[in-house]
Amino acid sequence: MAADFQDAWMRHKEDGDLLYAKERWANADHLYGLAVECGLKAVMRAMGMPVSSAGVPISRYHRVHLPDIWYVFHAFVSGTHAAGLLPFLSQSSPFDNWSVHQRYEPRSNFSQEIVDEHRMGLKEVEQLYCAGKRINADFF
């Protein structure tokens, strides 16, 4: 499997927005979480995260998923040339109540309020991604 975090970030975000517009809260929420994970990893890769020839992070520490990747991102950029990205991302993750395992939950467990909280986190990552592009435009 080849990992392309940039492409995955964009397609999950775009499809999440389409579902959000249709008030399909459960799947919009799921895709927003996947988008955020991929967006953070795309920025980490652009900022020097070592990856295999297939694009997969080499370090097990970087192969974590949301919500953990939010905090790993903070640690990864702290003290580097990319530390200027930290103000774009809140210290506490708005995805602490999100899990990929929620894909099995009934849609009645999701509301616009829940999705809006995660969508705000997605907007943080979107701003962070754009700022990352300014730092390392050649990579993006």
Side-chain angles (χ1 to χ4, degrees):
M1 175 190 81
D4 184 338
F5 297 120
Q6 289 182 62
D7 182 69
W9 149 251
M10 295 305 277
R11 70 182 163 89
H12 292 318
K13 184 175 83 61
E14 290 164 0
D15 290 348
D17 286 340
L18 290 171
L19 291 169
Y20 183 91
K22 298 276 188 189
E23 299 182 6
R24 301 286 310 267
W25 308 129
N27 285 347
D29 193 63
H30 188 71
L31 289 175
Y32 284 157
L34 294 175
V36 162
E37 178 179 321
C38 295
L40 292 173
K41 287 181 180 180
V43 174
M44 289 171 65
R45 182 168 184 207
M47 299 305 154
M49 176 180 68
V51 296
S52 71
S53 59
V56 177
I58 291 173
S59 170
R60 298 183 119 227
Y61 183 64
H62 299 146
R63 284 190 301 234
V64 297
H65 304 289
L66 198 63
D68 297 332
I69 192 65
W70 192 277
Y71 302 104
V72 168
F73 180 88
H74 276 273
F76 180 80
V77 299
S78 292
T80 71
H81 72 286
L85 298 174
L86 287 175
F88 292 97
L89 208 61
S90 57
Q91 277 295 114
S92 296
S93 172
F95 288 89
D96 281 341
N97 62 351
W98 185 95
S99 169
V100 73
H101 301 295
Q102 290 171 324
R103 67 187 179 270
Y104 303 120
E105 289 191 33
R107 67 183 83 203
S108 60
N109 286 6
F110 297 86
S111 65
Q112 183 176 1
E113 181 179 59
I114 290 169
V115 181
D116 282 346
E117 177 185 348
H118 295 154
R119 194 168 187 231
M120 292 304 295
L122 178 114
K123 297 298 181 190
E124 287 183 41
V125 174
E126 193 167 39
Q127 292 174 349
L128 172 94
Y129 186 87
C130 291
K133 285 175 76 169
R134 288 191 293 276
I135 292 173
N136 192 357
D138 292 336
F139 185 84
F140 287 93

